[in-house]
């Protein structure tokens, strides 16, 4: 029987009362205790959107041993940083090799600095990505964990796990994740909304039902950290633990229990959404960053680059174009021409650059987007290859663009990764905060980057209302 669509408000109100809002400060106190020696948390982010609940920590786009050693040296016990792997854009074999390489380099950096670390594999809150491949690859290098923790909850995106079923909030409803367009992803599709069943499905049965358990909301909210700790200490080795959560305070309860379990010698490997990372690092939320705070110039236009094809992105682009009117110039790259031949692709890109240069210089905001027809391959691998070709075209556009815009917004996870690392040449950036709830804002001050200090927005394909993209662009226009 399929999981049912639920009413959001009545479902949340029917749950036990949420935990205390002071738990995040308890996590902060524990992390800052000089006697605790809590390991550095390294978040391996399979696309850049995992930074969407954090601020004032770094994200690395390279992972050689000297770079990691320097980052370990500047990071205190209990602190952390992100590494942008972009592994969701890779085929399984190179994705496994990449995770293994990064983990080997992390071990070397840890040995060089004498600082321990633990890894969280930050993945998609709508369950797309290389699972269980990435945890397996990490364990091949780091050794077996006592348990894996699966926690895709993400409040700002409306992702809730209740009764082991993962839901996506759509309007006033909670829709089981497997009934959303995300589950029909050409590469990472799935059929199970129940996370215990999802683990079995994605592992092809290699992880049996008896090796999957869950921490329910009753235990989290009524029993608190002590009850969750008791369960974690009794979990058999090689278990996958599903975390139910409907508020950020639920995550704080679990984090406190996990930190205490670690002091008992327990070792965990984490596959989670963004909320887990900010809670584990004790990062309290801050309001979205305004244009005034960024001191944006009104002399040149802003630039939005959109490659994501999820329905929410398409709806947001339609609303952005409709509401912006003559204050936005749109350039649509025909995907079929990008795929047709190198010559036709080059012509499309050249036309886009010419238009963007002309408009940005005169202070006009510019949207460069791929055509909305989703072109897929005959199988998962060919679909990934098509996506890579389109991403390469968008990178070529940004690489060859000469005029510095007021800001750059990249729409979609893979798009934003490629724009940051290949188009803007970021190697290390600072997470400033959010441009809107769940929408990360970065700044890279490296002189080797394309435009040092430019505000860079990593806009997830699946976050926000239909008006959120317009609200950011319009707010940064009128405040400039």
């Amino acid at each position: 029987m399929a999981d049912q669509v639920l009413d959001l408000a009545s479902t949340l109100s029917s749950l036990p009362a949420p935990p205390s809002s002071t738990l995040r400060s308890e996590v902060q106190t524990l992390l800052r205790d000089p006697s605790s020696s809590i390991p550095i948390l390294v978040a391996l982010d399979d696309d850049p959107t995992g930074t969407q609940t954090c601020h004032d920590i770094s994200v690395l786009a390279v992972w050689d041993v000297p770079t990691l050693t320097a980052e370990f040296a500047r990071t205190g016990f209990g602190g952390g940083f992100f590494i942008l792997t972009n592994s969701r854009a890779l085929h399984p074999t190179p994705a496994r090799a990449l995770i293994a390489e990064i983990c080997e380099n992390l071990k070397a950096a840890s040995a060089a600095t004498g600082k321990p670390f633990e890894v969280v594999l930050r993945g998609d809150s709508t369950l797309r990505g290389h699972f269980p491949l990435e945890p397996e690859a990490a364990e091949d290098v780091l050794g077996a964990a006592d348990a894996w923790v699966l926690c895709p909850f993400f409040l700002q995106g409306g992702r809730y796990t209740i009764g082991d079923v993962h839901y996506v909030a759509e309007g006033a409803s909670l829709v089981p994740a497997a009934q959303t367009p995300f589950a029909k992803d050409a590469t990472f599709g799935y059929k199970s909304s129940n996370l215990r069943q999802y683990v079995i499905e994605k592992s092809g049965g290699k992880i049996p039902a008896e090796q999957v358990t869950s921490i329910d909301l009753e235990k989290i909210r009524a029993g608190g950290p002590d009850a969750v700790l008791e369960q974690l200490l009794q979990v058999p080795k090689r278990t996958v633990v599903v975390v139910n959560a409907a508020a950020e305070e639920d995550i704080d309860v679990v984090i406190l229990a996990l930190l205490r379990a670690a002091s008992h010698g327990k070792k965990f490997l984490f596959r989670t959404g963004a909320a887990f990372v900010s809670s584990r690092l004790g990062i309290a939320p801050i309001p979205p960053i305004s244009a005034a705070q960024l001191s944006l110039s009104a002399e040149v236009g802003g630039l939005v680059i959109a490659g994501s094809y999820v329905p929410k992105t398409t709806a947001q682009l339609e609303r952005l174009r409709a509401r912006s009117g003559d204050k936005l110039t749109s350039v649509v790259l025909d995907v079929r021409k990008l795929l047709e031949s190198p010559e036709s692709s080059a012509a499309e890109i050249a036309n886009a650059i010419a238009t963007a240069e002309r408009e940005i210089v005169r202070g006009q905001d510019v949207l460069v987007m791929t055509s909305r027809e989703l072109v897929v391959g005959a199988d998962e691998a060919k679909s990934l290859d098509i996506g890579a070709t389109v991403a390469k075209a968008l990178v070529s556009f940004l690489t060859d663009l000469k005029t510095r815009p007021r800001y750059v917004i990249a729409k979609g996870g893979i798009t934003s990764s490629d724009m940051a690392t290949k188009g803007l040449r970021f190697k290390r950036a600072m997470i400033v905060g959010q441009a809107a709830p769940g929408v990360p804002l970065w700044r890279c001050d490296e002189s080797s980057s394309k435009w040092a200090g430019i505000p860079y927005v990593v806009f997830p394909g699946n976050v926000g209302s239909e008006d959120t993209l317009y609200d950011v662009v319009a707010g940064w226009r009128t405040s400039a």
Side-chain angles (χ1 to χ4, degrees):
M1 180 178 173
D3 296 301
Q4 299 298 304
V5 176
L6 305 177
D7 178 75
L8 173 61
S10 62
T11 298
L12 295 183
S13 65
S14 70
L15 298 173
S20 167
S21 60
T22 64
L23 291 171
R24 187 68 56 95
S25 63
E26 292 183 39
V27 173
Q28 293 170 349
T29 299
L30 193 56
L31 293 173
R32 292 168 183 163
D33 182 352
S35 66
S36 66
S37 297
I38 292 172
I40 290 172
L41 185 73
V42 183
L44 305 188
D45 203 354
D46 73 352
D47 79 359
T49 63
T51 58
Q52 58 206 152
T53 57
C54 293
H55 57 85
D56 299 309
I57 68 169
S58 61
V59 54
L60 304 181
V62 295
W63 44 82
D64 56 276
V65 173
T67 295
L68 293 178
T69 300
E71 200 65 34
F72 268 71
R74 64 170 65 96
T75 305
F77 287 105
F81 59 91
F82 283 82
I83 298 176
L84 173 56
T85 71
N86 204 34
S87 57
R88 204 185 306 172
L90 302 178
H91 293 294
T93 298
R96 182 183 290 274
L98 175 63
I99 298 301
E101 175 192 349
I102 293 173
C103 288
E104 289 282 8
N105 291 358
L106 286 170
K107 284 177 65 176
S110 174
T113 57
K115 292 181 178 180
F117 72 96
E118 60 184 2
V119 164
V120 55
L121 297 156
R122 203 294 306 183
D124 180 36
S125 62
T126 57
L127 308 180
R128 299 165 298 169
H130 291 292
F131 178 87
L133 180 149
E134 290 192 0
E136 291 171 348
E139 283 195 328
D140 287 344
V141 175
L142 304 177
D146 292 307
W148 294 359
V149 175
L150 179 61
C151 179
F153 166 81
F154 173 44
L155 179 66
Q156 292 86 345
R159 325 288 197 244
Y160 301 85
T161 307
I162 301 170
D164 298 340
V165 176
H166 196 55
Y167 294 96
V168 175
E170 294 184 358
S173 299
L174 285 174
V175 181
Q179 298 174 32
T180 68
F182 307 114
K184 298 177 177 62
D185 187 273
T187 303
F188 299 113
Y190 55 92
K191 298 179 180 177
S192 303
S193 301
N194 184 296
L195 291 183
R196 297 176 70 157
Q197 296 169 6
Y198 168 86
V199 170
I200 299 167
E201 175 192 346
K202 298 304 285 186
S203 71
K206 285 198 304 180
I207 302 175
E210 56 267 26
Q211 281 183 225
V212 188
T213 189
S214 63
I215 304 173
D216 61 42
L217 281 169
E218 179 67 30
K219 178 164 292 184
I220 290 170
R221 295 189 171 191
D226 290 341
V228 176
L229 172 61
E230 183 179 0
Q231 179 175 347
L232 290 172
L233 293 177
Q234 295 174 358
V235 164
K237 284 185 178 293
R238 313 305 299 146
T239 296
V240 179
V241 180
V242 170
V243 175
N244 285 275
E248 291 193 335
E249 291 82 1
D250 296 325
I251 305 298
D252 292 337
V253 168
V254 174
I255 291 295
L256 283 169
L258 285 166
L259 291 173
R260 293 173 186 172
S263 70
H264 288 264
K266 288 288 186 179
K267 178 182 176 182
F268 301 98
L269 185 61
F270 309 106
R271 176 67 167 194
T272 79
F276 183 94
V277 181
S278 50
S279 178
R280 165 59 177 78
L281 293 173
I283 296 174
I286 60 174
I289 306 297
S290 68
Q293 289 173 276
L294 297 172
S295 301
L296 294 179
S297 167
E299 294 181 0
V300 294
L303 175 63
V304 181
I305 302 174
S308 169
Y309 282 95
V310 298
K312 177 160 285 187
T313 288
T314 298
Q316 289 173 337
L317 292 173
E318 290 174 353
R319 192 64 62 88
L320 170 65
R321 298 174 77 184
R323 294 189 63 187
S324 295
D326 61 6
K327 294 180 179 178
L328 179 77
T329 297
S330 297
V331 180
V332 179
L333 293 171
D334 187 330
V335 170
R336 292 198 177 275
K337 290 183 179 178
L338 297 178
L339 299 172
E340 183 180 301
S341 69
E343 294 75 19
S344 63
S345 178
E348 277 289 289
I349 294 165
N351 288 336
I353 290 172
T355 301
E357 294 276 7
R358 182 179 67 248
E359 298 299 295
I360 290 172
V361 165
R362 73 181 186 91
Q364 178 81 342
D365 293 336
V366 174
L367 164 65
V368 176
M369 59 182 282
T370 50
S371 54
R372 294 292 89 190
E373 177 194 5
L374 177 58
V375 181
V376 298
D379 56 28
E380 295 177 358
K382 288 184 173 60
S383 292
L384 267 179
D385 290 339
I386 289 172
T389 300
V390 174
K392 184 178 179 180
L394 292 172
V395 168
S396 179
F397 163 82
L398 186 56
T399 299
D400 294 340
L401 186 71
K402 294 182 175 57
T403 301
R404 174 175 173 145
R406 190 161 72 245
Y407 58 78
V408 176
I409 296 174
K411 192 75 173 74
I414 293 173
T415 302
S416 55
S417 174
D418 285 344
M419 295 307 106
T421 61
K422 299 173 184 177
L424 296 173
R425 302 192 299 274
F426 287 6
K427 292 182 180 178
R428 180 179 187 268
M430 183 60 62
I431 304 165
V432 178
Q434 285 70 47
V439 180
L441 171 62
W442 297 1
R443 186 188 69 247
C444 175
D445 293 323
E446 296 172 320
S447 59
S448 59
S449 64
K450 183 177 177 71
W451 293 312
I454 192 167
Y456 180 66
V457 177
V458 178
F459 207 122
N462 57 9
V463 167
S465 71
E466 291 187 359
D467 289 304
T468 303
L469 177 58
Y470 168 78
D471 290 341
V472 172
V473 172
W476 285 12
R477 178 189 305 130
T478 56
S479 298

